[in-house]
Amino acid sequence: MSDLKNISVDELSAYSISELKTLEKKVAKAIATYDERKKKAALAELEAKAKELGFSLAELTAAKGKGVRPASVAKYRNPDDPDQTWTGKGRRPAWFVTAIEAGKKPEDLEI
């Protein structure tokens, strides 16, 4: 690569307008693709290093999804409908509120 910092306007004036416009297009394209070229070079370097260590880059960068939480265990059961349960977390179900308002204690509804 030549030392572009030392190119003077006088040296560029030796080119025709057509040659300068061609050069301008090439410079604009080089600027526009600069980041992508740097990313490709970095990716190739990382893939080589991963291979050197006995892995593929995909193995090392595989996204780990959120773990699956086990279902919460029900703590309360509706005495009128045993299929309706509640873990005690989150919003109280209507059947639980109704039972409490009717005078039952939460302990009475425990499974």
Side-chain angles (χ1 to χ4, degrees), residues 67-94:
V68 178
R69 272 195 254 170
S72 297
V73 177
K75 184 175 180 181
Y76 302 100
R77 184 178 311 266
N78 183 351
D80 298 329
D81 183 356
D83 290 338
Q84 292 181 331
T85 60
W86 179 48
T87 62
K89 297 178 182 176
R91 187 174 176 179
R92 294 178 177 179

Side-chain angles (χ1 to χ4, degrees), residues 25-83:
K25 287 178 187 176
K26 288 180 181 179
V27 169
K29 184 176 181 181
I31 291 170
T33 61
Y34 181 82
D35 283 341
E36 192 61 35
R37 287 182 285 123
K38 292 300 254 183
K39 286 178 188 178
K40 282 183 182 180
L43 185 58
E45 188 175 328
L46 291 172
E47 285 174 340
K49 185 65 177 177
K51 188 174 182 180
E52 177 184 316
L53 296 171
F55 299 100
S56 72
L57 189 57
E59 287 176 305
L60 298 175
T61 60
K64 295 189 178 178
K66 292 183 179 180
V68 178
R69 272 195 254 170
S72 297
V73 177
K75 184 175 180 181
Y76 302 100
R77 184 178 311 266
N78 183 351
D80 298 329
D81 183 356
D83 290 338

